[in-house]
Amino acid sequence: MFKKILLAAAVLVSAASAIEFGPRVGGNLSTMWGDNAEKVTTGVGFNAGIAAKIAFKDSPISITPEVMIDMRNTGNEVKEKVTDEYSMTEWALDIPVMIRCELLGLFYIEAGPSFNFNLSTSETAKTGKIEKTTDFDINTFEFGLSFGLGTNIISAIDLDFRVNLGITDIFQDKTFAGFSSPMSDRKNLQFALGASIWLF
């Protein structure tokens, strides 16, 4: 399988007419979708990393793989006796592989899969004035899909807006204290603004 991936990468590189590299930075608003997701609050985060753009001769299609560190903040306001407020900060390694189509030479649309690896997560539950760390199990790997719209009207800089939709669940545990968890079957949902600067 690994040899097939290397072979596919070699074919892409050999077919490319130009390959550019550069840093990528952005900000995001993270929340969740799925079971009881209407109770999830939105938090502000950021991401930073490197990107590549593989262009093909006489084609409006290009491929832009990226490797980024992503910081996500979400919360949960539950008007119940057990937990009044829940917050979670997640650091993840995100590897989106976007397929881009240029429009009129000024704009582009893009979409592709995203492979996300959880690096660390801190969770806090607050009931009244009591605050404690929770122990919900977080999946170490998440698969998602990303969709975006951008512009390259500024030379050597791509600006884009993306929606990152998680497909796999965030939490491993489907039960808590013997009962079905209100956070089971929740998935990441993120709205992000980003910029890629092509330096090489």
Side-chain angles (χ1 to χ4, degrees):
M1 182 65 182
F2 183 67
K3 290 182 178 179
K4 291 181 180 179
I5 294 174
L6 288 178
L7 179 60
V11 171
L12 281 176
V13 171
S14 63
S17 61
I19 303 177
E20 297 176 271
F21 298 92
R24 178 175 172 82
V25 294
N28 62 61
L29 293 174
S30 294
T31 184
M32 302 178 191
W33 72 279
D35 288 354
N36 298 306
E38 68 278 359
K39 300 175 182 177
V40 177
T41 58
T42 300
V44 178
F46 71 91
N47 53 63
I50 57 174
K53 181 163 61 174
I54 304 170
F56 302 96
K57 186 177 181 180
D58 300 325
S59 173
I61 303 296
S62 59
I63 298 176
T64 56
E66 301 163 359
V67 179
M68 297 185 294
I69 298 295
D70 187 21
M71 192 267 275
R72 309 166 180 171
N73 282 311
T74 55
N76 194 54
E77 293 183 358
V78 183
K79 304 303 180 182
E80 298 174 356
K81 294 180 180 180
V82 178
T83 303
D84 294 326
E85 186 177 341
Y86 169 86
S87 62
M88 181 174 76
T89 297
E90 179 185 1
W91 291 88
L93 176 67
D94 287 357
I95 307 177
V97 181
M98 306 298 287
I99 300 173
R100 175 185 298 188
C101 180
E102 304 284 342
L103 302 173
L104 304 175
L106 295 176
F107 301 95
Y108 58 86
I109 56 175
E110 58 183 357
S114 180
F115 309 94
N116 311 303
F117 300 88
N118 185 302
L119 301 177
S120 70
T121 303
S122 59
E123 308 161 82
T124 302
K126 185 176 181 181
T127 303
K129 296 182 179 181
I130 300 174
E131 187 171 300
K132 65 176 182 177
T133 302
T134 65
D135 58 356
F136 289 109
D137 291 328
I138 307 295
N139 281 321
T140 56
F141 172 77
E142 295 174 40
F143 175 76
L145 296 175
S146 296
F147 308 90
L149 174 67
T151 179
N152 47 18
I153 195 170
I154 303 175
S155 178
I157 298 178
D158 291 346
L159 303 173
D160 58 63
F161 170 75
R162 289 182 185 172
V163 177
N164 301 317
L165 185 68
I167 302 300
T168 57
D169 295 340
I170 299 172
F171 300 97
Q172 291 182 13
D173 244 345
K174 301 303 180 185
T175 61
F176 181 70
F179 298 95
S180 178
S181 170
M183 293 189 293
S184 64
D185 300 319
R186 285 189 183 177
K187 304 164 182 65
N188 274 311
L189 175 60
Q190 190 179 77
F191 304 93
L193 290 173
S196 298
I197 306 170
W198 305 113
L199 301 178
F200 308 101

